[in-house]
Amino acid sequence: MKTIKIKRVEMYHFRGFTKMVVDFGDEVTNIYGGNGTGKSTIRNAFLWCLFGRDAEGRTNFEIKHRDESGETADKVDATVRITLDVDGRKTVLERTLREVWSKRRGETEEVYTGNETVVSVNEVPMNVTQYREKVEEIVTERLFELITTPEYFLTLPWKEQRAILFDLVGGVEDADVAERRADFATLLDELAGKS
């Protein structure tokens, strides 16, 4: 079984924060505050860095920081960096939404042409597919949701719920049954080697 501890979440120009760093303690870190203070933003930053989506499952949501007037600054990247302890090894995951600006032929001014996603693991740049695979090695999105979102289990089809419960409980072997009831031990001896 893998042990994963969140050590730190850093947000730069993400949603409501210009800069926010949350250091997690060794035991429990409580995040609380009034409405609109950024509690959900921390969760959304974490989910976006890991899986490229927010808590609602949206991949296309407002990521960039807005100032008091509601405007976003040009040429400012939104970045989330998560530091994890995975089985005693430090792992740093980073995702950045970078604005792409380019000069068109014959023009003197650069124009905004869209965004690109830039990712790295332990400061090693990679493409999004490679990054996704690295994250999946740490924790699958489904397992993450099952652990962190209690209502997620109830949203799954009943067959998936049943499969998860059987995975948790494990299988029952014939020897386990015979251990509990002596009359089955005799039957199992007679069936030995037969399907």
Side-chain angles (χ1 to χ4, degrees):
M1 181 198 249
K2 197 178 291 180
T3 301
I4 304 168
K5 295 179 182 175
I6 305 168
K7 302 307 271 180
R8 172 180 260 214
V9 175
E10 301 169 59
M11 295 169 276
Y12 303 96
H13 304 286
F14 185 85
R15 307 265 314 172
F17 297 114
T18 302
K19 177 183 177 184
M20 169 62 87
V21 177
V22 180
D23 286 309
F24 289 79
D26 288 332
E27 295 301 316
V28 174
T29 300
N30 294 310
I31 298 173
Y32 55 90
N35 289 340
T37 57
K39 300 177 304 293
S40 297
T41 299
I42 295 168
R43 177 170 167 75
N44 284 328
F46 196 80
L47 289 167
W48 181 68
C49 188
L50 286 176
F51 307 115
R53 63 170 181 81
D54 69 357
E56 304 299 319
R58 299 175 297 188
T59 56
N60 187 13
F61 67 103
E62 186 60 44
I63 291 170
K64 298 177 187 176
H65 173 69
R66 292 188 176 277
D67 61 21
E68 297 80 30
S69 65
E71 296 296 317
T72 59
D74 289 342
K75 299 183 182 178
V76 176
D77 300 337
T79 299
V80 177
R81 184 178 304 118
I82 300 172
T83 304
L84 302 172
D85 178 318
V86 181
D87 289 333
R89 300 184 85 188
K90 179 180 173 181
T91 302
V92 180
L93 304 169
E94 185 174 307
R95 183 183 293 257
T96 298
L97 183 69
R98 180 170 294 149
E99 290 184 352
V100 177
W101 290 77
S102 55
K103 248 185 238 183
R104 294 193 177 137
R105 191 173 175 172
E107 297 288 324
T108 57
E109 296 290 318
E110 287 186 324
V111 292
Y112 170 73
T113 57
N115 298 308
E116 65 179 343
T117 300
V118 180
V119 290
S120 68
V121 176
N122 294 331
E123 298 182 10
V124 176
M126 52 188 62
N127 66 44
V128 174
T129 301
Q130 293 168 322
Y131 180 83
R132 192 175 300 125
E133 289 169 358
K134 291 287 187 185
V135 170
E136 288 280 316
E137 288 173 14
I138 297 168
V139 63
T140 65
E141 190 169 356
R142 180 178 173 184
L143 179 59
F144 182 85
E145 284 295 344
L146 284 168
I147 292 170
T148 62
T149 311
E151 63 272 10
Y152 177 73
F153 179 79
L154 299 174
T155 67
L156 298 173
W158 70 268
K159 288 182 180 179
E160 283 186 55
Q161 290 178 1
R162 182 177 61 184
I164 290 167
L165 292 173
F166 278 126
D167 284 345
L168 287 171
V169 173
V172 178
E173 300 295 324
D174 292 341
D176 298 331
V177 174
E179 231 176 69
R180 297 199 191 289
R181 295 206 23 208
D183 55 327
F184 284 154
T186 307
L187 177 61
L188 290 175
D189 286 340
E190 289 178 26
L191 293 175
K194 299 175 185 154
S195 65

